[in-house]
């Protein structure tokens, strides 16, 4: 079953009844028998909903009922890798898979290597597996088609594993920012696999986006959405691409579509608010940012942008309160603040960026004076110097510029 088919399935009354029955059983503390495939579907559903504890619970329920179940072990190993970034615990589940050499298990083993930054070993493992699948296809081995003779009528088989394997690899490599290698694997297709149209175009969208080919990214993501308009993540990806292309109205519309599917989605809310801020609709943007603060109180980013809005309104006290809240919630993680400050600068909020970055600069200098190891990020002093220049603060411009590391190329400011 493809991702698109699965998303449609979990919206069906059949799945909703299954899920209700399972949740009632778990809530009662009793143990009832469920079909193994149904438990895996439930676990995958929770994964999509980002309820990772519930997903793990469903997989463990499956193992209690069917010890050694391959699909449950694979799901738990993947969860350790993708959600917990725990290669050690993932390996414990991989070990329990024993001599299973299915393509899915190989992909999981390769992901464990990628997580440990053993990229070449992962690339080699994937190449060997692809060669094995090609050999099986030539000799009639069952692995090449993904099912045995007894299972060949199963509708939930994804079709020819050999055909889909390069796409599965490319999706995995995109997750670990190996976009050049992912594009190499995708280059073998003359057309999209019939059963994975959405995955094919969504993966191209990610590759084009990551490599700066924004119009091609937008075109690919729109094709993915044409195949499955219910993917919140893809609407958000398209929104991001459109925002980078300065197509703010289009980006706002994409964020709205994402929110129509998931009203409380954090990323979609942030993009909507940023689009409204870009359009100078400050009150509307403030309302959305405040909603993010309410739903996701640990997120520092809305406080920074609320501070920028307060600055536009001339409320100096509110600026200080919001920036302070952002710093505290980020646990003074300078990279978080720099990311948002860079965004504010690019959006034209020069005064707000200047005030925020000056606070960060002084904090860095103070820690250095106290013997700390915090270093001044180059982009902090570069942007701070440029803000000073644009605001007519020539003495500060010269001062901050003196902290910019010397480079072979011309300095930007």
């Amino acid at each position: 079953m493809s991702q698109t088919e699965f998303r449609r399935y979990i919206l069906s009354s059949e799945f909703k009844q299954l899920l209700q029955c399972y949740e009632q059983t778990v809530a009662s503390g009793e143990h009832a028998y469920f079909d193994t495939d149904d438990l895996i579907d439930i676990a995958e559903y929770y994964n999509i909903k980002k309820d990772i504890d519930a997903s793990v619970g469903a997989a463990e329920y499956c193992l209690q009922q069917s010890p050694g179940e391959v699909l449950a072990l694979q799901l738990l190993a993947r969860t350790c890798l993708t959600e917990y970034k725990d290669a050690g615990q993932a390996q414990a589940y991989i070990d329990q898979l024993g001599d299973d050499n299915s393509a899915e298990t190989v992909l999981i083993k390769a992901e464990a290597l990628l997580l440990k930054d053993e990229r070449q070993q992962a690339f080699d493992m994937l190449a060997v597996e692809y060669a094995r699948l090609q050999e099986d296809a030539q000799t009639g081995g069952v692995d090449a088609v993904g099912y045995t003779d007894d299972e060949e009528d199963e509708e939930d088989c994804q079709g020819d594993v050999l055909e889909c394997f390069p796409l599965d690899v490319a999706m995995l490599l995109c997750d670990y920012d190996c976009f050049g290698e992912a594009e190499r694997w995708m280059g073998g297709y003359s057309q999209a696999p019939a059963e994975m149209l959405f995955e094919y175009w969504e993966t191209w969208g990610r590759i084009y986006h990551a490599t700066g080919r924004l119009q091609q990214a937008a075109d690919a993501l729109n094709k993915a959405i044409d195949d499955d308009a219910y993917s919140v993540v893809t609407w958000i990806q398209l929104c991001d691409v459109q925002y980078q292309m300065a197509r703010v109205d289009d980006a706002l519309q994409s964020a709205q579509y994402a929110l129509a599917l998931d009203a409380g989605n954090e990323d979609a809310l942030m993009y909507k608010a940023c689009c409204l801020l870009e359009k100078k609709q400050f009150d509307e943007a403030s309302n959305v940012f405040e909603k993010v603060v309410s739903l996701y109180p640990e997120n520092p980013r809305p406080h920074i942008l609320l501070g920028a809005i307060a600055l536009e309104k001339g409320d100096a006290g509110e600026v200080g309160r919001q920036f302070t809240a952002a710093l505290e919630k980020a646990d003074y993680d300078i990279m978080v603040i720099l990311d948002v400050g860079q965004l504010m600068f690019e959006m034209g909020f020069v005064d707000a960026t200047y005030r925020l970055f000056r606070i960060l600069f002084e904090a860095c200098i103070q820690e250095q004076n106290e013997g700390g190891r915090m270093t001044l990020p180059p982009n902090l002093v570069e942007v701070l110097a440029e803000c000073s220049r644009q605001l007519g603060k020539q003495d500060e411009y010269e001062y901050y510029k003196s902290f910019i590391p010397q480079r072979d190329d011309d300095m930007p400011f």
Side-chain angles (χ1 to χ4, degrees):
M1 187 184 302
S2 68
Q3 291 183 34
T4 301
E5 291 170 330
F6 185 72
R7 275 192 289 271
R8 291 170 181 162
Y9 168 62
I10 62 178
L11 294 173
S12 69
S13 58
E14 175 189 354
F15 179 79
K16 290 177 181 178
Q17 291 173 3
L18 169 65
L19 181 65
Q20 182 181 28
C21 181
Y22 169 79
E23 290 181 338
Q24 288 174 346
T25 299
V26 171
S28 71
E30 299 176 356
H31 190 95
Y33 178 82
F34 289 89
D35 183 82
T36 297
D37 288 341
D38 287 341
L39 288 171
I40 297 301
D41 286 344
I42 290 168
E44 294 286 9
Y45 161 81
Y46 285 130
N47 246 331
I48 291 174
K49 294 297 182 181
K50 298 299 182 184
D51 190 344
I52 305 305
D53 289 342
S55 177
V56 169
E60 289 178 341
Y61 192 111
C62 182
L63 286 177
Q64 291 172 14
Q65 180 178 284
S66 305
E69 171 56 44
V70 168
L71 292 176
L73 290 169
Q74 288 174 337
L75 187 147
L76 288 167
R78 287 203 323 266
T79 300
C80 289
L81 294 168
T82 59
E83 301 296 335
Y84 301 133
K85 306 302 179 186
D86 188 342
Q89 184 58 50
Q91 189 62 50
Y93 290 118
I94 292 170
D95 291 343
Q96 292 180 58
L97 286 166
D99 59 359
D100 179 74
N101 66 344
S102 64
E104 176 65 17
T105 293
V106 171
L107 286 165
I108 291 169
K109 291 178 178 178
E111 182 167 3
L113 291 171
L114 290 169
L115 183 59
K116 293 185 289 186
D117 204 27
E118 297 175 5
R119 294 192 172 194
Q120 192 56 54
Q121 295 93 318
F123 297 162
D124 292 344
M125 177 182 290
L126 293 167
V128 168
E129 174 63 9
Y130 190 41
R132 184 184 72 83
L133 290 171
Q134 290 174 313
E135 182 178 353
D136 280 349
Q138 293 173 355
T139 60
V142 296
D143 285 342
V145 292
Y147 46 82
T148 66
D149 290 340
D150 293 336
E151 296 170 326
E152 62 185 359
D153 292 329
E154 290 284 338
E155 293 182 358
D156 62 352
C157 286
Q158 292 201 19
D160 191 338
V161 173
L162 176 61
E163 181 185 23
C164 295
F165 187 75
L167 178 52
D168 289 332
V169 171
M171 289 190 289
L172 170 61
L173 293 172
C174 284
D175 289 342
Y176 288 85
D177 298 335
C178 303
F179 296 104
E181 188 71 8
E183 184 165 359
R184 188 182 71 79
W185 280 88
M186 292 291 286
Y189 287 108
S190 58
Q191 60 184 19
E195 298 299 317
M196 300 181 73
L197 282 174
F198 170 83
E199 291 87 347
Y200 176 84
W201 289 115
E202 192 268 348
T203 301
W204 271 122
R206 294 173 70 187
I207 293 170
Y208 288 139
H209 187 190
T211 53
R213 291 169 280 181
L214 297 182
Q215 184 57 59
Q216 289 167 283
D219 293 343
L221 292 169
N222 271 307
K223 289 178 181 178
I225 287 169
D226 285 343
D227 190 68
D228 180 6
Y230 293 95
S231 173
V232 176
V233 171
T234 309
W235 279 114
I236 293 171
Q237 289 174 320
L238 179 59
C239 173
D240 187 23
V241 170
Q242 292 166 332
Y243 190 87
Q244 290 185 44
M245 296 171 72
R247 290 165 47 185
V248 178
D249 289 333
D250 289 340
L252 179 59
Q253 184 178 58
S254 294
Q256 296 280 34
Y257 281 132
L259 290 169
L261 296 167
D262 182 0
N265 186 279
E266 185 175 10
D267 290 332
L269 286 168
M270 285 296 295
Y271 273 115
K272 177 182 177 180
C274 285
C275 289
L276 293 169
L277 183 56
E278 185 81 11
K279 291 163 68 68
K280 310 295 185 184
Q281 297 178 10
F282 297 128
D283 290 340
E284 294 91 335
S286 292
N287 290 337
V288 182
F289 283 132
E290 292 289 0
K291 184 173 183 178
V292 177
V293 171
S294 174
L295 292 174
Y296 306 97
E298 300 304 312
N299 188 345
R301 287 175 168 82
H303 290 288
I304 297 175
L305 295 165
L306 283 167
I309 292 172
L311 185 62
E312 286 290 320
K313 295 182 175 182
D315 189 344
E318 183 65 11
V319 172
R321 284 190 292 273
Q322 293 292 352
F323 283 175
T324 298
L327 288 166
E328 290 175 351
K329 287 187 177 182
D331 195 23
Y332 294 86
D333 182 347
I334 195 168
M335 300 313 297
V336 173
I337 309 302
L338 284 173
D339 286 346
V340 181
Q342 184 75 41
L343 172 63
M344 288 166 50
F345 177 74
E346 292 169 358
M347 292 173 68
F349 295 100
V350 178
D351 198 358
T353 307
Y354 165 78
R355 294 191 186 200
L356 175 63
F357 276 24
R358 190 174 64 177
I359 292 172
L360 293 178
F361 175 87
E362 291 170 354
C364 288
I365 295 298
Q366 180 178 349
E367 178 164 326
Q368 287 181 349
N369 291 338
E370 294 173 356
R373 291 181 293 177
M374 181 184 292
T375 58
L376 277 169
N379 59 327
L380 188 156
V381 288
E382 288 174 355
V383 173
L384 185 54
E386 176 62 7
C387 288
S388 300
R389 188 190 67 79
Q390 291 189 23
L391 294 170
K393 302 176 185 291
Q394 189 62 30
D395 290 344
E396 291 190 37
Y397 167 66
E398 296 295 338
Y399 173 68
Y400 293 129
K401 191 171 70 170
S402 69
F403 288 89
I404 299 175
Q406 294 296 318
R407 301 184 301 199
D408 293 335
D409 58 339
D410 292 333
M411 284 197 235
F413 308 126

